[in-house]
Amino acid sequence: MRKIVLMMGVSLDGYLEGPGREIDWHVMDAALHQHMNDVLRPMGGFLSGRVTHELMADYWPEADAGPDADPVEAEFAEIWREKPKIVFSRTLKPGPAPWHTTVLPEVSPAAVRALKEEPGGDLSLGGADLAATFLEHDLVDEFRIYIHPVLIGAGKRVFPDGPFAPSPLRLVETRAFDNGVVLMRYERVAE
């Protein structure tokens, strides 16, 4: 069975975006971006909310079009374009959309569990509000939290207060990148 993998970049003080939705504080270099490409390439698809999807769709479809396109970014542009994407949105029209995208109007736990039963690679989950909904419904199997070496002091927390039951996790990987970012990777403990 494939897993739902929550992947988030966060500040050291636990924020995924600043108070004005800023994410320009992320410390991204070629090595970290290549790592992301290597992790995302075998994934079976991307799960996101509308805001995250629209940010991605505004940039990545043509990020490799120019002659001076960065090779690592060009590689990710191809990965993003080719992967199936499921976008959960109450405001977008449900059904097929550009770039191998399907829009669903809500998170149905039964439908997500059925999706996990389908063949293919694991599914990458992105977007703070969507992640909170998946956590509320106990649908996240693995956490890949990339801690960036910055304090931003306010904004949206990666793990908001919520009606979550305690969930034991097992550390399966840590990795420090030369740019100061640290990956903390946890899996759910089988009950």
Side-chain angles (χ1 to χ4, degrees):
M1 177 184 301
R2 55 192 187 168
K3 299 183 288 189
I4 304 292
V5 180
L6 174 61
M7 297 181 67
M8 287 282 178
V10 302
S11 64
L12 182 61
D13 52 348
Y15 296 99
L16 61 95
E17 60 184 35
R21 304 194 88 166
E22 307 90 358
I23 59 171
D24 58 347
W25 48 266
H26 283 186
V27 181
M28 185 61 86
D29 63 8
L32 180 57
H33 202 154
Q34 186 61 58
H35 162 82
M36 292 295 195
N37 290 354
D38 295 342
V39 167
L40 293 169
R41 187 179 303 104
M43 291 279 181
F46 299 122
L47 308 175
S48 66
R50 178 191 57 83
V51 172
T52 299
H53 178 73
E54 288 178 345
L55 285 171
M56 300 296 280
D58 282 347
Y59 182 75
W60 290 109
E62 297 181 12
D64 57 349
D68 58 347
D70 177 272
V72 177
E73 285 194 14
E75 180 183 357
F76 181 75
E78 182 178 346
I79 291 167
W80 188 86
R81 278 194 307 266
E82 299 305 316
K83 292 286 177 200
K85 289 165 270 308
I86 298 176
V87 177
F88 296 89
S89 172
R90 291 183 211 95
T91 58
L92 295 176
K93 179 183 173 190
W99 309 114
H100 305 288
T101 302
T102 301
V103 177
L104 299 178
E106 64 184 19
V107 175
S108 161
V112 172
R113 287 184 187 99
L115 187 62
K116 288 171 58 171
E117 296 284 340
E118 292 179 7
D122 293 340
L123 300 166
S124 174
L125 173 63
D129 295 332
L130 184 62
T133 301
F134 271 63
L135 288 167
E136 184 179 331
H137 292 294
D138 199 26
L139 296 170
V140 178
D141 303 299
E142 182 178 312
F143 299 82
R144 289 178 185 238
I145 307 300
Y146 294 84
I147 302 168
H148 291 253
V150 63
L151 301 171
I152 62 172
K156 183 175 272 191
R157 292 206 173 271
V158 68
F159 296 110
D161 293 338
F164 312 127
S167 184
L169 303 172
R170 179 174 62 90
L171 180 65
V172 293
E173 179 184 6
T174 61
R175 179 174 173 185
F177 294 87
D178 289 343
N179 64 2
V181 171
V182 175
L183 164 63
M184 302 292 292
R185 180 177 166 212
Y186 292 89
E187 290 180 344
R188 300 277 307 262
V189 173
E191 297 177 21

